[in-house]
């Protein structure tokens, strides 16, 4: 096949949602369709001993949540599917945000019993700002929840996006009859505990047990209302991220997942051009290019390895090829390349635009690095950084473990698991994170992967502002407004609060304060 034909087969997407909306369960069902697993293990507590395939880190199994972004790929109906299962917990939004830079579309799962929740809004905003097409799956229809019309209204008002229901539910909870599949003009009937069945619209008159049901008739009336007063279907609007197709169903049953996935595969975009310093890079270009959006250490604790996750943007990747690291100009050989299903891996011989591959990191890569072949040198647009909201001083519990302590911090910071700053006066380590759970995972991984116990001292919420090196005068700052440096040795101040920041601006109008997150802040 030509590069262009291979690119057209690729569908690369992330699944986003609020915690417990059913995201990992949906991922498991899609893996079943791809014949990657034989039975889906729902995310449960540690007592059951049964865990979701996409949750591989030990702490995930203990807590029953996804805390790192997993990558899975499989063949389905002639397409090559790449799924990124992002962590739903709000404390891991930084990793989640970065993952969204590597996908071409997004599946947003909403718990129909709760509606739109805070984390969904934050993730959705990132997708809207990046113009990523969004497909919505209203989950848990087999439970009593909000009315479908109310859910659509909430989606349009809260997220400010037009909706188009691709199917329509008849009932919910114990009275759930099934869905009207508008695209395929069939009624998909729900049988609790059994396979769903399909009745063409033309054959519905032969099913009076269904058509004479009051719940069914109510759904028909609602569907007529939606058809008359709802938004017009437009594939162009979907691809521009202006209209979200909405599907109703239940990932756990599973019900409506197959019809959703078949429609999604048809509508979701294949890889598109990527912005770079030389302009748009087309996926079908002959020269290989890609960027690193995630680094994960210790996926195999026995080997203490580091894997860099690379999104292929153009050309063809072949194992053993030599590439240039654009940031340094250094040439590297990509001999160890893998494709992932959570923590299990297989050697990968070739890949095309849209594919996500794991490459061995000899401690040479950083998040956002561009790898390429060919004579033309360029870099893909910088990955956004996100402002930490909580800061803590951290130190090794045992001074004799300082070597392990430093190595652990260095690797976890390079992974993007946490942000590191150093106190300019004392040189002590300060960690910045988006939420408290991020610190818990940091502490757990330091102890279990690097054998280094840590102690932390909270310094509260802070507002970071960078300085020009020549203006970083220690005499201007006190312990309340900490003068520090970031991991790249650039000076910054951690202001105590908005008042302290404004007071400093008034007193020192000549000092330029730079908000590095300003242009990339998706909060």
């Amino acid at each position: 096949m030509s590069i262009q034909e291979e690119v057209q087969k690729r569908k690369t997407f992330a699944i986003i949602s609020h915690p417990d909306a059913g995201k990992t369960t949906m991922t498991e069902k899609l893996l079943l369709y791809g014949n990657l697993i034989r039975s889906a293990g729902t995310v449960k507590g540690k007592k059951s001993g049964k865990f979701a395939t996409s949750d591989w880190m030990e702490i995930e199994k203990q807590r029953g949540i996804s805390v790192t972004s997993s990558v899975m790929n499989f063949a389905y109906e002639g397409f090559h599917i790449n799924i990124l299962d992002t962590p739903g917990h709000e404390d891991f939004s930084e990793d989640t945000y970065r993952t969204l830079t590597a996908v071409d579309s997004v599946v947003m799962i909403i718990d129909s019993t709760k509606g739109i929740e805070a984390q969904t809004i934050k993730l959705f905003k990132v997708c809207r700002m990046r113009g990523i097409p969004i497909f919505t799956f209203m989950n848990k229809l087999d439970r009593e929840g909000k009315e479908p019309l109310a859910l659509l209204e909430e989606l349009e008002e809260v997220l400010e996006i037009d909706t188009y229901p691709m199917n329509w539910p008849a009932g919910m909870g114990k009275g759930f009859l099934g869905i009207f599949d508008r695209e395929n003009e069939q009624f998909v009937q729900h049988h609790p505990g059994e396979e769903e069945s399909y009745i063409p619209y033309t054959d519905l008159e032969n099913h009076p047990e269904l058509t004479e049901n009051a719940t069914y008739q109510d759904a028909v009336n609602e569907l007529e209302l939606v058809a008359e007063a709802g938004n017009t279907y437009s594939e162009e609007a979907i691809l521009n991220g202006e209209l979200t197709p909405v599907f109703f169903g239940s990932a756990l049953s599973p019900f409506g997942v197959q019809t959703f996935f078949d429609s999604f595969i048809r509508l979701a975009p294949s890889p598109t051009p990527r912005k770079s310093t030389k302009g748009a890079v087309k996926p079908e270009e002959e020269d290989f290019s890609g960027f690193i959006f995630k680094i994960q250490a210790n996926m195999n604790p026995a080997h203490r390895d580091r894997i860099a996750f690379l999104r292929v943007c153009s050309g063809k990747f072949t194992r053993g090829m030599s590439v240039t690291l654009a940031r340094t100009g250094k040439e590297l050989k990509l001999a160890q390349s893998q494709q992932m299903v959570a923590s299990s891996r297989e050697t990968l011989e070739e890949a095309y635009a849209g594919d996500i591959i794991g490459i061995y990191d000899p401690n040479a890569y950083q998040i956002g690095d561009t790898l390429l072949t060919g004579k033309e040198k360029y870099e893909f647009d910088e990955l956004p950084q996100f402002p930490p909201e909580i800061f803590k001083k951290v130190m090794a519990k045992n001074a004799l473990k300082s070597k392990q302590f430093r190595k652990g911090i260095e690797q976890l910071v390079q992974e993007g698991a946490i942000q590191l700053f150093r106190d300019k006066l004392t040189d002590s380590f300060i960690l910045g994170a988006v939420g408290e759970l991020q610190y818990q995972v940091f502490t757990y991984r330091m102890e279990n992967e690097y054998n280094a116990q840590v102690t932390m001292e909270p310094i509260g919420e802070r507002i970071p502002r960078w300085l020009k090196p020549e203006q970083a005068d220690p005499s201007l700052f006190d312990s309340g407004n900490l003068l520090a440096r970031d991991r790249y040795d650039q000076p910054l101040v951690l202001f105590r609060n908005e008042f302290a920041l404004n007071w400093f601006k008034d007193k020192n109008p000549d000092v330029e304060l730079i908000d590095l997150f300003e242009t990339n802040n998706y909060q």
Side-chain angles (χ1 to χ4, degrees), residues 98-335:
R98 271 199 301 265
T99 298
L100 294 177
T101 63
V103 300
D104 301 306
S105 59
V106 156
V107 171
M108 178 169 65
I109 298 182
I110 291 174
D111 182 339
S112 64
T113 66
K114 295 176 182 173
I116 297 165
E117 299 171 86
Q119 182 63 356
T120 315
I121 297 169
K122 288 176 84 173
L123 294 173
F124 176 84
K125 282 181 179 174
V126 180
C127 297
R128 280 301 297 269
M129 289 191 76
R130 302 193 69 82
I132 301 172
I134 299 158
F135 296 77
T136 303
F137 188 84
M138 295 290 185
N139 196 20
K140 304 186 183 179
L141 259 288
D142 51 350
R143 300 184 192 178
E144 292 295 331
K146 295 187 175 186
E147 293 293 330
L149 284 169
L151 286 166
L152 287 189
E153 188 179 355
E154 190 177 347
L155 202 58
E156 296 205 350
E157 285 184 5
V158 177
L159 301 183
E160 297 177 348
I161 189 170
D162 289 341
T163 61
Y164 184 88
M166 301 294 285
N167 59 35
W168 196 257
M172 67 178 80
K174 289 180 180 175
F176 184 46
L177 302 177
I179 52 172
F180 291 90
D181 179 358
R182 300 175 76 189
E183 185 181 14
N184 299 302
E185 298 190 341
Q186 61 185 355
F187 187 83
V188 187
Q189 196 167 8
H190 179 245
H191 308 284
E194 297 175 33
E195 293 276 311
E196 55 205 48
S197 58
Y198 304 86
I199 307 168
Y201 282 176
T202 52
D203 195 34
L204 279 168
E205 60 190 29
N206 298 320
H207 294 268
E209 78 287 353
L210 192 64
T211 56
E212 291 173 12
N213 185 305
T215 300
Y216 175 91
Q217 291 168 359
D218 286 346
V220 169
N221 293 333
E222 287 176 349
L223 193 52
E224 285 176 3
L225 178 66
V226 166
E228 282 181 34
N231 295 303
T232 307
Y233 177 78
S234 163
E235 287 189 19
E236 186 184 354
I238 291 170
L239 294 177
N240 290 335
E242 297 161 358
L243 176 78
T244 178
V246 180
F247 301 82
F248 292 86
S250 167
L252 190 59
S253 295
F255 179 82
V257 177
Q258 183 86 58
T259 49
F260 152 70
F261 196 49
D262 288 342
S263 294
F264 170 77
I265 292 304
R266 183 181 67 79
L267 292 169
S270 293
T272 53
R274 291 256 156 185
K275 292 177 184 175
S276 77
T277 50
K278 76 158 189 174
V281 177
K282 294 179 180 175
E284 62 273 14
E285 287 182 19
E286 286 293 327
D287 289 331
F288 163 83
S289 70
F291 67 88
I292 289 164
F293 66 93
K294 176 180 172 65
I295 295 172
Q296 183 75 56
N298 304 323
M299 285 189 74
N300 184 344
H303 295 289
R304 296 287 180 200
D305 58 351
R306 281 165 60 88
I307 300 294
F309 288 83
L310 177 94
R311 153 81 191 216
V312 182
C313 296
S314 71
K316 179 182 178 180
F317 166 88
T318 49
R319 189 164 72 92
M321 73 189 299
S322 291
V323 298
T324 300
L325 174 56
R327 174 172 49 84
T328 62
K330 190 177 177 182
E331 196 167 285
L332 296 159
K333 192 173 183 181
L334 304 182

Side-chain angles (χ1 to χ4, degrees), residues 9 33-34 74-81 258 261-262 265:
K9 285 167 56 180
Y33 296 151
F74 57 90
Y76 180 80
E77 300 291 331
F79 289 98
H80 186 89
I81 311 299
Q258 183 86 58
F261 196 49
D262 288 342
I265 292 304

